[in-house]
Amino acid sequence: MRVPFFFLWEGKISAGTSNSTPISNLDIYPTILEASGITNSSSKLDGISLLPMLTGEGSIPERALFWHFPIYLEAYQYGQNETRDPLFRTRPGTAMRLGKWKLHYYFEENEVELFDLEADISEKNDLSSSLPEITNELLEKMKAWWEATSAPIPQTENPEYIKVN
């Protein structure tokens, strides 16, 4: 979720241009369409064109970005993960970033974690208990996104799920 991305377009993007605005891989297709002069108003695209930001002719609005993963992903090797769970690299959940905030939601136990990415890039300090207003505000946005996108939400618990304290 924090992977650097770069664009090269001679004569259009100035060398050395840098920007820390979060983007999504979903933005690449709309960007290519706009750069190519292709308009297709009949298609609803999930991403936005980054062209104004890339060419220095504008910016893109701050927006929430979502990563939805409603399934389990098995661990590489039992107990050798940096995650919360020795059995899985990831559990079913959704992550959301808005500005400096990142919210994780885990479906197994309806748990949330909130991180300030400016102060805690490694996501070690869960602020959800100490900042309930921000946590609830972001969670409401996440729930609205689930509804708007008809995101699949797991309804049955995994019988092999083991909670690790």
Short mmCIF file of all heavy atoms in Angstrom, two decimals, residues 25 27 47 51 71 74 76 88 91 100-101 110 112-113 127 134 142 150 154 156 160 164:
data_model
loop_
_atom_site.label_atom_id
_atom_site.label_comp_id
_atom_site.label_asym_id
_atom_site.label_seq_id
_atom_site.Cartn_x
_atom_site.Cartn_y
_atom_site.Cartn_z
N ASN A 25 -3.55 1.95 -8.12
CA ASN A 25 -3.37 1.35 -9.45
C ASN A 25 -4.62 1.56 -10.31
O ASN A 25 -4.53 1.54 -11.54
CB ASN A 25 -3.01 -0.13 -9.35
CG ASN A 25 -4.10 -0.96 -8.70
OD1 ASN A 25 -4.82 -0.50 -7.82
ND2 ASN A 25 -4.21 -2.20 -9.11
N ASP A 27 -5.98 4.26 -10.82
CA ASP A 27 -5.84 5.55 -11.47
C ASP A 27 -5.07 5.48 -12.79
O ASP A 27 -5.11 6.43 -13.58
CB ASP A 27 -5.12 6.54 -10.54
CG ASP A 27 -5.86 6.78 -9.25
OD1 ASP A 27 -7.11 6.73 -9.25
OD2 ASP A 27 -5.20 7.03 -8.22
N GLY A 47 -10.98 4.66 -10.76
CA GLY A 47 -9.88 5.56 -10.51
C GLY A 47 -10.13 6.93 -11.12
O GLY A 47 -11.17 7.18 -11.73
N LEU A 51 -3.34 12.99 -14.58
CA LEU A 51 -2.66 13.88 -15.53
C LEU A 51 -2.47 15.31 -15.02
O LEU A 51 -1.37 15.85 -15.16
CB LEU A 51 -3.39 13.86 -16.87
CG LEU A 51 -2.54 14.19 -18.08
CD1 LEU A 51 -1.34 13.28 -18.21
CD2 LEU A 51 -3.39 14.12 -19.33
N ILE A 71 -10.96 -12.42 2.04
CA ILE A 71 -10.59 -13.83 2.12
C ILE A 71 -9.32 -13.99 2.96
O ILE A 71 -8.67 -13.03 3.31
CB ILE A 71 -10.36 -14.44 0.71
CG1 ILE A 71 -9.21 -13.72 0.01
CG2 ILE A 71 -11.63 -14.38 -0.12
CD1 ILE A 71 -8.79 -14.34 -1.31
N GLU A 74 -3.02 -17.67 3.11
CA GLU A 74 -2.23 -18.55 3.97
C GLU A 74 -0.82 -18.04 4.18
O GLU A 74 -0.21 -17.44 3.29
CB GLU A 74 -2.19 -19.96 3.36
CG GLU A 74 -1.61 -20.99 4.28
CD GLU A 74 -1.74 -22.40 3.74
OE1 GLU A 74 -2.31 -22.58 2.66
OE2 GLU A 74 -1.26 -23.31 4.42
N TYR A 76 3.23 -18.00 4.69
CA TYR A 76 4.34 -18.66 4.00
C TYR A 76 4.83 -19.83 4.83
O TYR A 76 5.10 -20.91 4.34
CB TYR A 76 5.51 -17.69 3.79
CG TYR A 76 5.19 -16.55 2.87
CD1 TYR A 76 5.16 -15.25 3.34
CD2 TYR A 76 4.95 -16.76 1.52
CE1 TYR A 76 4.87 -14.19 2.51
CE2 TYR A 76 4.66 -15.70 0.68
CZ TYR A 76 4.64 -14.43 1.17
OH TYR A 76 4.36 -13.39 0.34
N PHE A 88 -2.14 -17.04 8.96
CA PHE A 88 -2.47 -16.35 7.72
C PHE A 88 -1.62 -15.09 7.55
O PHE A 88 -1.34 -14.39 8.51
CB PHE A 88 -3.95 -15.95 7.70
CG PHE A 88 -4.87 -17.12 7.85
CD1 PHE A 88 -5.48 -17.39 9.06
CD2 PHE A 88 -5.09 -17.97 6.78
CE1 PHE A 88 -6.31 -18.49 9.20
CE2 PHE A 88 -5.92 -19.07 6.91
CZ PHE A 88 -6.52 -19.33 8.13
N ARG A 91 -5.94 -11.72 7.13
CA ARG A 91 -7.28 -12.19 7.42
C ARG A 91 -8.25 -11.35 6.63
O ARG A 91 -7.90 -10.26 6.18
CB ARG A 91 -7.58 -12.03 8.91
CG ARG A 91 -6.68 -12.86 9.78
CD ARG A 91 -7.06 -12.74 11.23
NE ARG A 91 -6.72 -11.43 11.75
CZ ARG A 91 -7.34 -10.85 12.76
NH1 ARG A 91 -8.33 -11.43 13.36
NH2 ARG A 91 -6.98 -9.66 13.17
N LYS A 100 -3.51 11.37 6.27
CA LYS A 100 -2.49 10.71 7.07
C LYS A 100 -3.02 9.49 7.83
O LYS A 100 -2.26 8.76 8.45
CB LYS A 100 -1.86 11.69 8.06
CG LYS A 100 -2.77 12.13 9.20
CD LYS A 100 -2.01 13.05 10.14
CE LYS A 100 -2.79 13.33 11.42
NZ LYS A 100 -1.93 14.02 12.40
N TRP A 101 -4.32 9.27 7.78
CA TRP A 101 -4.94 8.20 8.56
C TRP A 101 -5.10 6.92 7.75
O TRP A 101 -5.45 6.95 6.58
CB TRP A 101 -6.31 8.63 9.07
CG TRP A 101 -6.25 9.84 9.92
CD1 TRP A 101 -6.71 11.09 9.59
CD2 TRP A 101 -5.68 9.96 11.22
NE1 TRP A 101 -6.47 11.96 10.62
CE2 TRP A 101 -5.84 11.30 11.64
CE3 TRP A 101 -5.06 9.07 12.08
CZ2 TRP A 101 -5.38 11.76 12.86
CZ3 TRP A 101 -4.61 9.53 13.31
CH2 TRP A 101 -4.78 10.85 13.69
N ASN A 110 -14.70 -8.12 14.03
CA ASN A 110 -15.17 -6.74 13.89
C ASN A 110 -14.24 -5.77 14.63
O ASN A 110 -14.70 -4.86 15.31
CB ASN A 110 -16.61 -6.60 14.40
CG ASN A 110 -17.56 -7.44 13.60
OD1 ASN A 110 -17.49 -7.48 12.38
ND2 ASN A 110 -18.45 -8.14 14.27
N VAL A 112 -11.04 -2.94 14.72
CA VAL A 112 -10.44 -1.88 13.91
C VAL A 112 -9.08 -1.51 14.51
O VAL A 112 -8.84 -1.70 15.70
CB VAL A 112 -11.33 -0.63 13.83
CG1 VAL A 112 -12.61 -0.89 13.09
CG2 VAL A 112 -11.60 -0.06 15.20
N GLU A 113 -8.24 -0.98 13.65
CA GLU A 113 -6.97 -0.39 14.05
C GLU A 113 -6.84 0.92 13.29
O GLU A 113 -7.16 0.98 12.10
CB GLU A 113 -5.79 -1.29 13.70
CG GLU A 113 -5.76 -2.61 14.43
CD GLU A 113 -4.65 -3.52 13.92
OE1 GLU A 113 -4.21 -3.37 12.77
OE2 GLU A 113 -4.25 -4.39 14.71
N LEU A 127 -4.17 3.65 17.29
CA LEU A 127 -4.78 4.80 17.95
C LEU A 127 -6.30 4.71 18.04
O LEU A 127 -6.94 5.68 18.44
CB LEU A 127 -4.40 6.09 17.19
CG LEU A 127 -2.90 6.37 17.06
CD1 LEU A 127 -2.66 7.54 16.11
CD2 LEU A 127 -2.29 6.61 18.42
N ILE A 134 -12.19 9.94 15.28
CA ILE A 134 -11.59 9.73 13.96
C ILE A 134 -11.86 8.31 13.50
O ILE A 134 -12.21 8.07 12.35
CB ILE A 134 -10.09 10.05 13.98
CG1 ILE A 134 -9.88 11.54 14.24
CG2 ILE A 134 -9.41 9.62 12.68
CD1 ILE A 134 -8.45 11.96 14.50
N MET A 142 -16.01 3.90 5.46
CA MET A 142 -15.74 2.55 4.96
C MET A 142 -17.05 1.79 4.74
O MET A 142 -17.23 1.15 3.70
CB MET A 142 -14.84 1.80 5.94
CG MET A 142 -14.42 0.41 5.47
SD MET A 142 -13.37 -0.43 6.68
CE MET A 142 -11.81 0.42 6.42
N SER A 150 -21.11 -2.59 -3.24
CA SER A 150 -21.59 -3.96 -3.01
C SER A 150 -20.42 -4.89 -2.70
O SER A 150 -20.34 -6.02 -3.20
CB SER A 150 -22.38 -4.48 -4.22
OG SER A 150 -23.49 -3.67 -4.48
N PRO A 154 -17.68 -11.18 4.36
CA PRO A 154 -17.79 -12.56 4.86
C PRO A 154 -18.88 -12.66 5.93
O PRO A 154 -18.98 -11.80 6.80
CB PRO A 154 -16.42 -12.84 5.46
CG PRO A 154 -15.50 -11.83 4.86
CD PRO A 154 -16.34 -10.64 4.55
N THR A 156 -19.64 -16.01 7.29
CA THR A 156 -19.40 -17.24 8.03
C THR A 156 -17.99 -17.24 8.58
O THR A 156 -17.03 -16.99 7.85
CB THR A 156 -19.57 -18.47 7.11
OG1 THR A 156 -20.86 -18.40 6.50
CG2 THR A 156 -19.43 -19.76 7.88
N GLU A 160 -11.36 -22.78 11.39
CA GLU A 160 -9.96 -23.02 11.75
C GLU A 160 -9.25 -21.76 12.24
O GLU A 160 -8.05 -21.80 12.52
CB GLU A 160 -9.20 -23.61 10.55
CG GLU A 160 -9.74 -24.99 10.19
CD GLU A 160 -8.94 -25.62 9.06
OE1 GLU A 160 -7.73 -25.39 8.99
OE2 GLU A 160 -9.57 -26.33 8.27
N VAL A 164 -4.91 -15.27 18.35
CA VAL A 164 -3.63 -15.24 19.04
C VAL A 164 -3.56 -13.93 19.80
O VAL A 164 -3.75 -12.87 19.23
CB VAL A 164 -2.45 -15.35 18.05
CG1 VAL A 164 -1.15 -15.23 18.77
CG2 VAL A 164 -2.55 -16.63 17.26
#
